[in-house]
Amino acid sequence: MHMRIHFPSFVKNRRIWTLVVQACLVVMLGLFFFGSGLQGHVAQASAHVAAPDSSQQAQGNPFPYGSCTWWAAQRYHQMTGRYVPWRTQANAWQWTARARQFHWRVSSWPSRGAIIDLQPWVQGAYGAGHVAVVEQVLRNGHVIASNMSWGPSPGRVVYVQFSPGRGVTFLSA
C-alpha cells in the first residue's frame, strides 16, 4: 500500500521554508535571551550601588553583595530599619517559608516597602527565584520594585514592574 502525504504549497518551496525556519530560530533565541522582558517590564531607571565595606556587612546583611537577596535585605533595612532575620536556607525562592518561620506577614497583596518574592520561573525569575523591594504600588495593583541581579546589569539597581498572582508573595515584619 502506498501512502501519499500532502504538504501545504509553501512547504514545497525550499526558499520560503528556509525563511520560516530561520524566523522561528530568531524568535526562540530572542525568547531565551530576553524572555524576562515578557513578564516583568524593566522600567526607565537604574542606579549603581557601591559595594559595602566590611562594617556594613557585619551590621546585619549576610547575603553576597550584588545578589537580589543582598539588595532586598539592604533596601528593606533602609526603609524600615530592620534586616531580614534569616541567614540560612535563604535562596530567594525560600524567603516566603522563612518569613513564615520568623512570624513575618506573608501576603498576596502588595504594600510599599514589602519584599516581593517570586518563585522560580515566575515573571522572569530564574531557577533560584527572585526577591526585590516594592517602591510603589500602582492603581492596577501592579508594583514597581527595586531589584539587583535582574537583567543585563547585575551590579545596578533596576526598577521593574511586577504583578501580584500565582507564585508571588509580599513579605513584611
Side-chain angles (χ1 to χ4, degrees):
M1 180 175 206
H2 184 58
M3 190 151 109
R4 188 174 187 143
I5 299 173
H6 295 280
F7 292 100
S9 60
F10 77 87
V11 174
K12 292 178 183 175
N13 184 331
R14 185 178 185 105
R15 180 182 241 173
I16 292 175
W17 179 246
T18 302
L19 289 174
V20 169
V21 170
Q22 288 174 344
C24 289
L25 287 172
V26 167
V27 169
M28 287 172 41
L29 286 173
L31 289 173
F32 178 76
F33 288 109
F34 303 107
S36 63
L38 295 175
Q39 298 285 339
H41 305 285
V42 175
Q44 314 75 3
S46 70
H48 182 72
V49 177
D53 61 30
S54 59
S55 66
Q56 285 176 307
Q57 199 71 19
Q59 289 176 2
N61 191 343
F63 303 104
Y65 173 77
S67 68
C68 67
T69 52
W70 181 86
W71 175 253
Q74 196 67 28
R75 181 66 178 137
Y76 190 79
H77 178 260
Q78 289 173 353
M79 295 178 84
T80 67
R82 298 179 71 165
Y83 282 108
V84 296
W86 47 88
R87 302 283 189 261
T88 60
Q89 298 173 342
N91 286 320
W93 67 271
Q94 297 168 306
W95 278 39
T96 295
R98 300 298 285 151
R100 285 188 176 111
Q101 290 173 339
F102 282 87
H103 306 289
W104 275 37
R105 181 173 179 253
V106 175
S107 176
S108 56
W109 300 103
S111 60
R112 185 177 185 282
I115 296 169
I116 181 173
D117 186 9
L118 304 172
Q119 291 303 299
W121 314 115
V122 171
Q123 296 188 45
Y126 290 118
H130 185 71
V131 288
V133 177
V134 176
E135 301 290 340
Q136 181 182 2
V137 180
L138 304 175
R139 279 199 255 178
N140 63 2
H142 293 194
V143 301
I144 301 296
S146 60
N147 303 259
M148 258 189 152
S149 192
W150 186 269
S153 302
R156 293 192 165 281
V157 175
V158 295
Y159 297 85
V160 180
Q161 181 176 320
F162 297 107
S163 58
R166 189 173 160 157
V168 178
T169 53
F170 299 92
L171 317 174
S172 56

